[in-house]
Amino acid sequence: MRLVLLGPPGSGKGTQAVRLADHFGVPHIATGDIFRENVREGTPLGLQAKRFMDAGELVPDAVTLRMVAEVLDRAAAQAGFILDGFPRTLPQAEAFDALLDRRGLRIDAVLALDVDTEVVVQRLSARRTCPVCQRAYNLVFAPPKTDEVCDDDGAPLAQREDDREETVRRRQQVYREQTTPVRDHYEALGLVRAIDAGGREDEVFRRTLDALGDPVTA
Ligand code: AMP
């Protein structure tokens, strides 16, 4: 199974991607996670990416494409993948088509998660992560047992630098401007399945499986 997930920041794309990867037994490849890991470890890639990420801007296509090509050539990604956060620009989508072509591979579907901007701004401003184990929380929908402290290891929860309201709004704008053409590109290829991403996580997951015509119930 080779899937691409499209959706604005805060559409629940990451959560659904993890579940789909688990369901189909293929790796979840999240470019944002890979960049963040590189920033944490202070690698040359992380140093290149950080200033763009902190501003809510996209990392340059050349840097992103080099990274994705490397990840796709790893053994685990050969059987399939769930791509989360890539491609994000039309040049990335076109380069990705060529990259798959060269490897004789095809995407099965592009899942486009649709959700209202105000809902995502609310969701993201309440998002917190444990800096120690990376467990995700939401102060409104999935709060920790004790105020802003991780249930698993007691570490104070952190807010992603780019989840502050102003940056969230900028990220939405970047998504509308740069990623809408990616959706149009895949629409023209007949690959897009639109999913209503409002409501509970389980409901959205059920809708994604339905959209894929998957007979297995979640
Ligand atoms: P995300 O976790 O997917 O919201 O990504 C966080 C940040 O990583 C984005 O705001 C970008 O700065 C960067 N990023 C992730 N994926 C890409 C991509 N495909 N192209 C360019 N920048 C990206």
Side-chain angles (χ1 to χ4, degrees):
M1 183 56 89
R2 294 189 188 85
L3 295 177
V4 167
L5 260 78
L6 287 181
S11 57
K13 185 166 50 72
T15 309
Q16 296 300 327
V18 169
R19 294 189 65 160
L20 287 165
D22 188 48
H23 183 82
F24 291 112
V26 294
H28 167 218
I29 301 173
T31 46
D33 288 351
I34 300 174
F35 281 133
R36 273 185 294 280
E37 201 178 299
N38 278 275
V39 169
R40 268 199 306 280
E41 289 171 1
T43 67
L45 176 65
L47 294 177
Q48 263 181 310
K50 186 174 183 338
R51 67 192 165 98
F52 297 102
M53 296 174 74
D54 285 350
E57 303 293 336
L58 295 182
V59 177
D61 287 341
V63 176
T64 305
L65 281 162
R66 211 176 310 125
M67 178 187 86
V68 170
E70 263 174 42
V71 175
L72 287 182
D73 285 335
R74 286 185 201 148
Q78 297 302 309
F81 49 77
I82 310 289
L83 259 181
D84 161 10
F86 176 92
R88 278 259 234 299
T89 65
L90 189 55
Q92 285 184 13
E94 287 168 349
F96 185 48
D97 288 348
L99 190 148
L100 289 175
D101 253 6
R102 282 197 296 276
R103 289 163 177 77
L105 303 175
R106 275 183 184 287
I107 294 172
D108 292 295
V110 173
L111 300 173
L113 301 186
D114 291 325
V115 67
D116 184 73
T117 304
E118 284 314 306
V119 172
V120 300
V121 171
Q122 269 174 8
R123 277 188 190 169
L124 288 186
S125 320
R127 180 158 78 172
R128 298 290 183 277
T129 317
C130 171
V132 176
C133 68
Q134 311 306 320
R135 180 168 164 183
Y137 294 89
N138 184 292
L139 298 183
V140 182
F141 305 110
K145 293 195 184 82
T146 315
D147 233 13
E148 304 237 12
V149 167
C150 180
D151 291 346
D152 293 336
D153 50 38
L157 300 183
Q159 183 175 38
R160 265 172 56 172
E161 198 61 42
D162 58 356
D163 274 348
R164 295 173 205 289
E165 184 167 338
E166 194 188 300
T167 317
V168 167
R169 291 200 186 274
R170 175 63 193 147
R171 286 165 64 208
Q172 299 296 325
Q173 189 190 355
V174 167
Y175 181 84
R176 276 194 300 276
E177 289 169 5
Q178 313 232 39
T179 311
T180 306
V182 173
R183 181 174 178 152
D184 296 343
H185 172 79
Y186 287 126
E187 290 274 8
L189 297 174
L191 287 170
V192 173
R193 315 261 188 287
I195 317 277
D196 169 7
R200 285 189 309 110
E201 192 186 308
D202 281 345
E203 292 165 357
V204 181
F205 186 55
R206 185 71 51 120
R207 284 179 214 139
T208 61
L209 291 185
D210 283 351
L212 291 170
D214 189 304
V216 186
T217 44

